[in-house]
Amino acid sequence: MNQRDFPEDFIWGTATAAYQVEGAAYEDGKGKSIWNEFEKHPSAIVDNAVGDVASDQYHRYREDVALMRDAGMKAYRFSMSWSRVLPDGRGTVNRKGLDYYKRLCEELLRNGIEPYLTWYHWDLPLALQEEFGGWESRETVKYFGEYVGRIAKELDGLVKNFFTVNEFLACSDVGYGLGAIAPGLKLPKKRRNQVRHHLLLAHGTALQALRGVVPDAKAGLAENPSFLIPVIPVPEHIEAAKKAFREVNAHFITAVMEGKYPDCYLEREGADAPSFTEDDFKLIGAPMDFVGLNLYYGKPVRSAPETPEGYFIFNAETAASCTGIADFNFEPSAMYWGCRIVHELWHPKEILISENGMSANDRPSSGSEVYDPHRIKYLRAHLASLAGALREGYPVKGYFHWSLLDNLEWHLGFRPRFGLVYVNYATLERIPKMSWSWYKELIRTGKIE
Ligand code: NOJ
């Protein structure tokens, strides 16, 4: 049997984000982001790590692109640092910063790799946080739309594929609710919910801005809904998982896909519900070209007629965990079920897996190879499940592994290593791990074995 599991034109790639890989935090006129401020607080980040150098992609992008080409990658998902191109979030464009992204895109294209640009991956310009309270304010949303429109035009046809906002939950709930990541605020629920709403609106505003200047752009979200899978694949549990998926994710992906807040969310929040207008939802619910799913974990669901909601979600801890971060339990079938449930609920035109991966404490052996069979096991299981979704005809077009290379895992510092490529942070040397070779072979054959 020589049958491929993935078609020839499947988009294989990897993903990163500016703060996590670029470094050059104060170079060439870049303005500060909320992370450059947050990281200074003692113990905000494990080991008091900072992003000044990170994986140094700002200076080593050619080397990184050469690696991607060698593996046969078709695409690279990276984010733009807003404050690198607009140091205050608005006003004059920093040409040197913009040139970096142009050079990166040109290098990618020269090597046959399609750039997929994320406009917002958590590093808000500090000036917007200080002046307007960041995402608490509609001013920030307005400036986000202006940034996207202006810079998309400046990119001059180099990029055709865009993600608007990466993961609403982290930006709003973790940044402005729990305070574990920048800007490190612990706002009351009502204000936190307003931040959530403004991020949805930022997504819609960016879509509108893009459509105006890059008519052939393809754009969508990169979102990490809670993935819920039927505990047993029989109709009662499948229906329960679908209902749970829609309701648990009501305030983010469901609101975007349905162009309104489901009643269950508004009822749940009561007086803490955000203020919004109908016009907001004209933007938020505008059609997208694809939905990007960042998929790291899943929870089993059973039908529970005895409860008011009709379903019961098992704790992730009940599933054996094999990945480096406790919340990210090993649940590969979330791939198949995630694609299927999203498709059955909303029929998006295309689905991309915009992130998926695991961290570990990888290190070179004495022969300086980096052996990571755990990551190969993770990849094989997740991609076999994804292949199942393709076999059944769900419109999955691509997969971006998180991550290309080891990088700064936000408040968790440099310890969790997510890369297919190992980074020696003392020398910044790159060493492709064994999983890199596995991925390369999969790209070549299109087959999971
Ligand atoms: C999702 C985020 O988008 C990314 O920045 C992060 O590093 C990975 N998950 C792993 O936690």
Side-chain angles (χ1 to χ4, degrees):
M1 280 275 287
N2 231 349
Q3 201 76 34
R4 297 177 66 96
D5 293 306
F6 294 91
E8 293 273 3
D9 61 355
F10 195 73
I11 304 161
W12 292 112
T14 57
T16 62
Y19 177 72
Q20 298 181 269
V21 298
E22 283 179 1
Y26 304 97
E27 269 180 64
D28 291 341
K30 177 182 168 297
K32 284 189 193 167
S33 81
I34 52 175
W35 278 89
N36 303 128
E37 179 66 21
F38 181 75
E39 67 192 8
K40 294 205 190 96
H41 293 230
S43 313
I45 299 190
V46 172
D47 300 329
N48 290 316
V50 293
D52 294 12
V53 178
S55 316
D56 200 31
Q57 188 163 81
Y58 191 77
H59 299 112
R60 291 164 199 262
Y61 67 91
R62 286 198 184 84
E63 193 183 330
D64 293 343
V65 174
L67 279 169
M68 294 182 224
R69 190 204 37 207
D70 174 60
M73 299 284 173
K74 311 267 183 57
Y76 179 47
R77 174 175 175 237
F78 61 94
S79 78
M80 181 173 275
S81 154
W82 182 352
S83 65
R84 195 181 287 291
V85 295
L86 290 168
D88 293 325
R90 61 203 202 277
T92 315
V93 173
N94 173 32
R95 292 284 145 195
K96 283 191 172 169
L98 181 61
D99 277 356
Y100 165 69
Y101 293 106
K102 287 190 173 174
R103 280 184 278 121
L104 170 64
C105 292
E106 284 160 1
E107 187 71 9
L108 288 165
L109 291 167
R110 244 197 310 277
N111 286 282
I113 301 164
E114 198 58 42
Y116 278 66
L117 187 153
T118 307
W119 290 106
Y120 188 70
H121 201 129
W122 312 357
D123 50 350
L124 187 74
L126 183 61
L128 297 180
Q129 187 65 46
E130 290 181 335
E131 280 173 57
F132 306 112
W135 294 112
E136 279 211 78
S137 160
R138 278 183 183 253
E139 289 294 293
T140 300
V141 177
K142 180 186 88 187
Y143 287 123
F144 183 61
E146 285 181 17
Y147 147 65
V148 171
R150 286 174 71 190
I151 305 296
K153 201 163 170 193
E154 294 265 5
L155 285 171
D156 221 10
L158 287 171
V159 190
K160 299 285 184 211
N161 294 281
F162 301 94
F163 294 96
T164 53
V165 176
N166 181 76
E167 296 193 0
F168 294 125
L169 177 93
C171 312
S172 57
D173 293 32
V174 189
Y176 290 77
L178 294 173
I181 65 170
L185 299 175
K186 292 189 169 114
L187 299 181
K189 239 172 143 196
K190 169 109 187 151
R191 284 168 65 190
R192 193 267 332 254
N193 289 346
Q194 202 58 45
V195 168
R196 286 178 172 179
H197 181 70
H198 290 155
L199 283 158
L200 297 189
L201 192 56
H203 155 74
T205 305
L207 272 186
Q208 188 189 43
L210 266 177
R211 303 280 189 229
V213 293
V214 190
D216 55 345
K218 285 181 79 172
L221 268 181
E223 176 55 352
N224 62 328
S226 287
F227 287 96
L228 301 169
I229 60 175
V231 67
I232 305 169
V234 293
E236 57 180 304
H237 298 305
I238 294 175
E239 280 318 305
K242 276 167 73 172
K243 183 167 191 285
F245 190 101
R246 183 178 172 276
E247 293 184 5
V248 168
N249 299 303
H251 45 298
F252 294 137
I253 197 169
T254 307
V256 172
M257 301 308 285
E258 300 184 5
K260 65 182 173 70
Y261 286 125
D263 294 340
C264 64
Y265 175 58
L266 297 176
E267 281 158 21
R268 199 156 70 209
E269 299 302 317
D272 289 327
S275 337
F276 58 92
T277 67
E278 273 184 32
D279 283 349
D280 290 352
F281 272 102
K282 286 192 191 133
L283 294 175
I284 296 169
M288 293 185 276
D289 301 290
F290 54 75
V291 174
L293 301 175
N294 290 3
L295 191 152
Y296 289 90
Y297 58 86
K299 291 182 185 177
V301 174
R302 71 167 170 84
S303 151
E306 73 280 11
T307 65
E309 52 281 355
Y311 51 81
F312 177 82
I313 302 172
F314 293 94
N315 271 335
E317 299 89 81
T318 57
S321 176
C322 98
T323 86
I325 295 179
D327 291 346
F328 295 177
N329 69 315
F330 183 67
E331 189 51 89
S333 59
M335 276 287 181
Y336 167 81
W337 283 106
C339 295
R340 175 166 163 180
I341 290 178
V342 165
H343 177 78
E344 287 183 1
L345 284 173
W346 302 302
H347 300 280
K349 282 190 218 151
E350 293 184 356
I351 297 175
L352 294 174
I353 302 303
S354 36
E355 284 183 31
N356 168 245
M358 66 167 286
S359 68
N361 180 22
D362 303 311
R363 57 184 93 173
S365 65
S366 51
S368 81
E369 300 285 337
V370 183
Y371 295 118
D372 57 344
H374 39 275
R375 185 168 288 101
I376 294 175
K377 168 184 165 184
Y378 180 98
L379 272 162
R380 187 187 291 115
H382 281 79
L383 287 165
S385 178
L386 188 62
L390 271 131
R391 253 192 324 272
E392 291 188 15
Y394 301 116
V396 188
K397 301 296 175 192
Y399 171 91
F400 293 82
H401 189 76
W402 186 275
S403 179
L404 168 67
L405 75 185
D406 293 341
N407 59 50
L408 177 48
E409 177 60 13
W410 306 107
H411 60 308
L412 301 178
F414 289 105
R415 290 187 192 202
R417 290 179 175 272
F418 274 93
L420 294 169
V421 174
Y422 176 87
V423 176
N424 175 335
Y425 291 115
T427 61
L428 297 164
E429 185 196 356
R430 278 91 164 111
I431 307 174
K433 302 179 191 176
M434 199 179 223
S435 54
W436 178 262
S437 306
W438 187 91
Y439 195 42
K440 180 175 170 176
E441 187 59 10
L442 169 64
I443 295 173
R444 195 180 69 77
T445 62
K447 266 179 89 70
I448 300 276
E449 273 162 336

